[in-house]
Amino acid sequence: MIKTRIVSLPYLVWMAIFIVAPLVMVCFYAFTTPDGALTFDNLSGLGRYMPVFTRSIWLAAIATVICLVLAFPLAFIISRMSESKQSMMLLFLLLPMWMNFLLRTYAWMSLLENNGLINRLLGLVHLGPFQMINTQGAVVLGMVYNYLPFMILPLYSVMTKIDNSIIEAAEDLGAGRLGVISRVLVPLSMPGITTGIIMVFVPSISTFIISRMLGGGDTLLVGDLIEMQFLGNAYNPHLGSAMALVLMVLVLLFMSLTGTSSDEEMEDMLI
């Protein structure tokens, strides 16, 4: 027991410095004024930013659903391949992630701008140019592109454990393709679905680089607001901390609801 505590001591120190201390500072700034007095004005004043919070949740939810729809069949196809092909496909999947996040987003800027490659190709068939950059659609596209692997990987890890005999048994019992998907694959893949949703939704709702570079000034998200309070001209770390605290509560609430629904579904399967 003593050896276990000694071994875990570096981790506890790390957690106290880089997790507990920042959380305490955020809570302190959120409930105080620049003079150090206790106040709730920082939280009560967030009502005027409700459209930004709503937009962030909405766009993050759209990106998460799109990632799930794309990742589910891809993960299943990869999981049914031979081991060598699985390794190759995972390499192709992870290869773009080796490139810097900003560079990947810059690449999409050059593709989506009015004189970009996509509009030039459309111009060859006398279509466009279309306004694709600085739109909410461009922000969702950036989220999907950057976070899709985080949905595929947990689904793939779960689907590799689903034996083909289970699918064959469902087909022998009269289940069609939709029946196999809805009554076999989806329930058995629920742990991966839950993990993937969390891994995509959480960074999507808090992103600020994607919205700034692909959405311009017309698509302001919560992450942009928080950054403006700490690094922008509207310097107000107390208001920024209140925004960060509310965002953290929303994320924790979402994670708890997702985890609860997943546990209930697994219990129903066992029963």
Side-chain angles (χ1 to χ4, degrees):
M1 187 68 178
I2 297 177
K3 291 182 179 180
T4 303
R5 292 179 179 177
I6 294 175
V7 172
S8 62
L9 183 61
Y11 173 75
L12 295 176
V13 173
W14 177 278
M15 185 173 62
I17 295 175
F18 294 102
I19 298 179
V20 178
L23 288 177
V24 172
M25 292 178 63
V26 167
C27 294
F28 174 78
Y29 276 96
F31 291 101
T32 57
T33 64
D35 299 329
L38 182 65
T39 181
F40 292 95
D41 292 341
N42 296 322
L43 291 175
S44 61
L46 294 181
R48 62 181 181 272
Y49 300 107
M50 190 57 62
V52 179
F53 279 86
T54 304
R55 186 187 304 120
S56 301
I57 296 173
W58 174 244
L59 294 183
I62 293 176
T64 303
V65 171
I66 295 175
C67 284
L68 179 59
V69 172
L70 294 176
F72 195 91
L74 285 174
F76 179 76
I77 292 172
I78 295 174
S79 66
R80 300 301 106 175
M81 294 180 176
S82 61
E83 292 186 4
S84 60
K85 291 184 179 180
Q86 288 183 25
S87 301
M88 184 178 299
M89 292 300 296
L90 291 177
L91 176 62
F92 289 149
L93 177 66
L94 297 175
L95 192 60
M97 299 179 65
W98 295 357
M99 187 167 42
N100 185 272
F101 184 88
L102 289 176
L103 292 178
R104 299 200 306 267
T105 310
Y106 269 121
W108 275 109
M109 288 181 63
S110 63
L111 289 173
L112 297 176
E113 62 185 10
N114 294 334
N115 295 322
L117 180 61
I118 296 178
N119 271 320
R120 289 183 181 180
L121 293 176
L122 292 175
L124 296 177
V125 293
H126 306 288
L127 294 176
F130 297 103
Q131 178 63 34
M132 292 181 285
I133 195 71
N134 298 333
T135 62
Q136 293 186 4
V139 175
V140 172
L141 177 61
M143 292 178 180
V144 172
Y145 172 76
N146 284 290
Y147 302 132
L148 181 60
F150 297 110
M151 181 70 77
I152 296 178
L153 291 177
L155 282 172
Y156 163 77
S157 64
V158 171
M159 287 182 175
T160 53
K161 302 175 183 177
I162 301 177
D163 199 295
N164 284 327
S165 60
I166 299 177
I167 300 176
E168 294 173 357
E171 293 174 345
D172 292 340
L173 292 174
R177 289 188 176 181
L178 292 178
V180 171
I181 294 174
S182 61
R183 305 189 66 177
V184 178
L185 292 180
V186 171
L188 293 178
S189 304
M190 193 56 63
I193 293 175
T194 303
T195 304
I197 289 175
I198 293 174
M199 293 180 67
V200 172
F201 182 82
V202 171
S204 295
I205 195 177
S206 59
T207 185
F208 63 94
I209 293 295
I210 296 175
S211 56
R212 182 197 302 170
M213 298 176 65
L214 299 181
D218 298 332
T219 309
L220 194 66
L221 302 184
V222 179
D224 301 295
L225 279 179
I226 295 174
E227 188 208 16
M228 290 168 56
Q229 307 307 315
F230 287 95
L231 300 177
N233 295 328
Y235 179 75
N236 190 346
H238 299 273
L239 181 60
S241 297
M243 293 177 181
L245 184 62
V246 171
L247 180 61
M248 182 175 60
V249 171
L250 290 175
V251 169
L252 292 176
L253 180 61
F254 170 77
M255 293 176 63
S256 64
L257 292 176
T258 306
T260 301
S261 62
S262 177
D263 293 340
E264 291 176 351
E265 289 172 355
M266 292 301 295
E267 290 178 1
D268 293 339
M269 289 175 58
L270 294 175
I271 294 175

